Amino acid sequence: MPKGNNFTAPLAEADLTAARTAIKALATKLAFVPQQPESLLTSATISPERLPLADLALQAADQAPEVLRKTATPDALRAKVASYRALAALRNQLAAELTRLDNALNVLGSDVFFQVNNIHEDVEKDKGETVDLGELRQQIHAYYIRPGGRKGGSSKPS
């Protein structure tokens, strides 16, 4: 259960600036990777597990080029397979860092949410006796009475 202090690493502005600089440098270095429009994305794609099938198809194309009717050339397919392998390797190298970042965001987000919940609870218990937050209290409370935001997931209006 989160306690609001699980994210112990301090985030220095210098570190964040260095990270932003590294991201810009990486984006520049990855400029050779074409941005593909969503209209081209499909579920019918080769996967790393199926790359041996591409190797077998290349063997067949090399052994019987006279039967090829739809494939442009074995060399064009060979170049695409090599590009796929290179991009997959690059993605795999980045995956560990992306997972690390996702985990850090999860833990930090949990800490933030824990503190937000504590503030909401304190504000609700005070009920304006110490400080009248008026509209701000109502806006905060509105997040907690939404159907998906309530404990237990109840969708009944209050």
Side-chain angles (χ1 to χ4, degrees):
M1 189 72 181
K3 299 294 183 208
N5 59 359
N6 293 319
F7 195 86
T8 56
L11 296 176
E13 187 59 38
D15 292 334
L16 293 173
T17 301
R20 288 181 190 107
T21 302
I23 290 167
K24 286 180 184 174
L26 180 60
T28 300
K29 289 182 180 185
L30 290 178
F32 70 92
V33 179
Q35 179 64 38
Q36 300 297 338
E38 282 192 36
S39 62
L40 292 180
L41 301 182
T42 176
S43 60
T45 184
I46 196 90
S47 63
E49 297 80 23
R50 287 186 159 180
L51 275 178
L53 175 61
D55 294 333
L56 293 173
L58 281 170
Q59 286 177 20
D62 286 339
Q63 289 179 18
E66 64 279 354
V67 300
L68 300 178
R69 294 186 184 106
K70 293 182 178 180
T71 303
T73 66
D75 290 337
L77 176 58
R78 191 172 283 106
K80 288 182 179 190
V81 169
S83 294
Y84 184 94
R85 283 193 166 109
L87 289 177
L90 180 59
R91 183 178 175 271
N92 289 340
Q93 290 171 347
L94 293 172
E97 296 308 315
L98 292 174
T99 298
R100 183 172 148 190
L101 185 57
D102 286 344
N103 292 347
L105 283 169
N106 179 280
V107 173
L108 181 57
S110 174
D111 285 359
V112 168
F113 197 53
F114 178 82
Q115 296 298 325
V116 167
N117 284 334
N118 285 343
I119 289 171
H120 173 253
E121 183 178 350
D122 292 343
V123 167
E124 287 302 305
K125 283 181 179 175
D126 185 68
K127 295 182 182 172
E129 294 171 9
T130 307
V131 176
D132 184 11
L133 296 174
E135 180 68 26
L136 180 57
R137 178 179 174 264
Q138 293 172 5
Q139 289 173 348
I140 292 171
H141 185 67
Y143 278 91
Y144 289 88
I145 63 170
R146 289 183 181 157
R150 236 199 304 253
K151 289 181 183 176
S154 175
S155 59
K156 289 186 205 172
S158 51

